[in-house]
Amino acid sequence: HRDLSLMQTLAEQTADDEALVARLAEDLRRHAGFGEKYSGGPGDQATADWIAERMQAAGLRVDRHQIDTPYFTPRVCTLRCAGDSLDVLPQAPVMTTGSAGITAPLAIIHSTHDAARAANAIAIVVAPFRRHAAIWLPPIGPLVSAAVEAGAKAIVIVTTGPSGEAVALDAPLDAPFTPGPSAVLAPRALEPLLAAAARGEVATLILDGAAERRQTANLMATLDRVPRWLAFSTPRTGWFDCVGERGTGTAAFLALLDWAVQRFPDHSLFALNSGGHEYRFGGTHHALDLAPPPQATTLWTHIGATLAARDVLEFRGQQILLPSADPQRVLMVTEPLRAAAQEAFDGLSGLECPQPIAAEAGELSTITARGYDKAFAMLGVHRWFHTRQDTLDKVDAALLAPVVRAHMRLIEAAVS
């Protein structure tokens, strides 16, 4: 009888796991289908409508709070030099040049010691090899600031990293990080600029398009049952399709809400799905005044970027997607949760050793600064983070499901 009971339990667990994987896979496909998730764009709006519907179906009341964010519709964005025309990503918030652009000599900047040569030039800031994410953080922030202080007419940032692609950079919401036009260039396009700069040639940076403001929604949902709260949050917006970055978190967020509604009838639920993430987490800053107070909140679960993305084998110039998870992810926790977090996430690559909360590493530090002393978040920066290649093929629901289960284990431990 004991053997039969054990077999039945294992069969039920297997069925539950298969159902979770299937559901996550469908949500990842749905998220990818909405396209680019820039704040205020059509993909953002469609994604918000879908998430709102899902939260309402789970039993939560959803309120929308609109915030203004920058929005850019490009016409021509290029760096022209020595007969070459190189595509660039305009750095948000975009400062346009008009169709004529800005023409100046090139100055190659590898370190702050090179910055003086940026005076009256288009500074080509070559960032060290890294998985980049934000313009204000090292190593990019200090290099750009030094070039600006030296008097650069414009900035072009080369985001050297494992993808080989131009990496869109998060930026402040209310004011540009640079006073003049700036853009991002893929590292594979750098070589002709090095030669042109050595010859003393000039270049023209053109950032032509419509720079405006659009509204994005903070979705705030509640299930008000008792004076004790469980809080959940995840950002919605980002650069390009961001299936690994935002899609994995969105799918996990929806699964955890459905589970928590049934699992914790003795708690009220608060859920925040924020816009404006790519503008220094602007949506979360606007929303926290409306969250339940820290003293009434048992736990805050923040579901950050790239919960699970596929790793890559680099072999003889090829990049081969693997059925294993990219380990470049971290679990950050407040001190009361450290031991439980280590047990809950044991065996998941990159997450075995919980870390203290790092400032400006996603929204969690903004949340804990308000006094929430039991909180945790996962943050991953996968190979194609913030690039056009962050698409559905870079994720696998079978890699995401164990991370969702680990979140459930830690939440249960924290509540008990």
Side-chain angles (χ1 to χ4, degrees), residues 255-266:
L256 289 171
L257 286 181
D258 280 348
W259 167 77
V261 166
Q262 304 300 323
R263 179 66 182 84
F264 301 107
D266 56 345

Side-chain angles (χ1 to χ4, degrees), residues 11 33 45 60 85 104 111 201 214 283 297 313 339 343-344 381:
Q45 295 169 7
L60 285 80
S85 183
S111 72
E201 299 199 23
R214 292 192 182 182
T297 304
L313 170 64
E343 182 175 354
V381 180

Side-chain angles (χ1 to χ4, degrees), residues 305-309 325-331 347-351 378-381 399-400 403:
T306 316
L307 270 64
D326 189 327
Q328 295 303 311
R329 51 188 182 171
V330 65
L331 176 64
L348 293 173
S349 60
L351 306 176
M378 244 203 69
L379 174 66
V381 180
L399 299 176
L400 178 57
V403 182

Side-chain angles (χ1 to χ4, degrees), residues 54-253:
R54 289 287 295 273
M55 291 195 293
Q56 288 169 341
L60 285 80
R61 188 194 74 201
V62 180
D63 295 314
R64 291 178 185 247
H65 299 261
Q66 302 293 334
I67 60 171
D68 285 336
T69 53
Y71 193 86
F72 181 68
T73 304
R75 285 189 285 268
V76 177
C77 296
T78 186
L79 180 64
R80 295 174 181 171
C81 183
D84 291 320
S85 183
L86 306 173
D87 290 336
V88 295
L89 291 178
Q91 173 59 43
V94 179
M95 298 190 67
T96 60
T97 65
S99 59
I102 291 176
T103 299
L106 293 169
I108 308 299
I109 309 298
H110 290 280
S111 72
T112 54
H113 300 293
D114 302 332
R117 68 180 66 157
N120 297 312
I122 296 174
I124 308 298
V125 175
V126 183
F129 189 96
R130 193 171 295 185
R131 300 189 182 201
H132 302 287
I135 193 171
W136 69 86
L137 292 175
I140 290 176
L143 290 174
V144 170
S145 294
V148 169
E149 291 170 8
K153 285 188 172 182
I155 304 287
V156 176
I157 304 164
V158 181
T159 49
T160 313
S163 71
E165 302 292 336
V167 177
L169 300 171
D170 289 350
L173 174 61
D174 296 323
F177 188 76
T178 63
S182 56
V184 176
L185 180 72
R188 63 174 179 272
L190 176 61
E191 191 64 32
L193 296 182
L194 296 176
R199 294 192 300 266
E201 299 199 23
V202 299
T204 300
L205 176 66
I206 301 172
L207 303 178
D208 187 27
E212 55 182 324
R213 307 280 292 188
R214 292 192 182 182
Q215 289 194 324
T216 185
N218 276 339
L219 303 178
M220 282 181 277
T222 55
L223 179 57
D224 194 345
R225 298 188 283 204
V226 295
R228 295 299 302 170
W229 293 83
L230 293 175
F232 297 83
S233 57
T234 197
R236 183 184 64 256
T237 61
W239 305 116
F240 311 113
D241 292 6
C242 57
V243 182
E245 181 193 6
R246 294 273 78 89
T248 55
T250 297
F253 176 75

